[in-house]
Amino acid sequence: MAVGQTTEHGTVLFEARGRMDRAGKWSILAVVVGCLLVIPFAFARNPDADLTENLLLIGICQGG
């Protein structure tokens, strides 16, 4: 289907892509590597805390 083509359900407004382009793969890789680097840093800053507390601190720092 092409953009602008009329079907029985209406007009096609955009073309959905099933594949991810190279920029999308690099952005996902950057997020994963960034998360993997943040976890040891959190444990180094707060070595006396348990796993749950450190992961909670990582989530709070990343979210805000």
Side-chain angles (χ1 to χ4, degrees):
M1 284 185 247
V3 176
Q5 181 181 357
T6 304
T7 65
E8 62 186 41
H9 301 289
T11 305
V12 177
L13 300 176
F14 60 92
E15 180 182 345
R17 295 183 184 178
R19 298 185 313 247
M20 187 180 309
D21 61 346
R22 186 175 298 201
K25 290 178 185 176
W26 281 110
S27 63
I28 290 174
L29 180 67
V31 169
V32 169
V33 169
C35 289
L36 291 176
L37 292 176
V38 167
I39 292 172
F41 179 72
F43 284 100
R45 287 188 65 189
N46 196 5
D48 296 330
D50 63 344
L51 175 67
T52 307
E53 186 177 342
N54 277 330
L55 292 178
L56 183 63
L57 287 172
I58 291 169
I60 291 171
C61 292
Q62 294 296 320

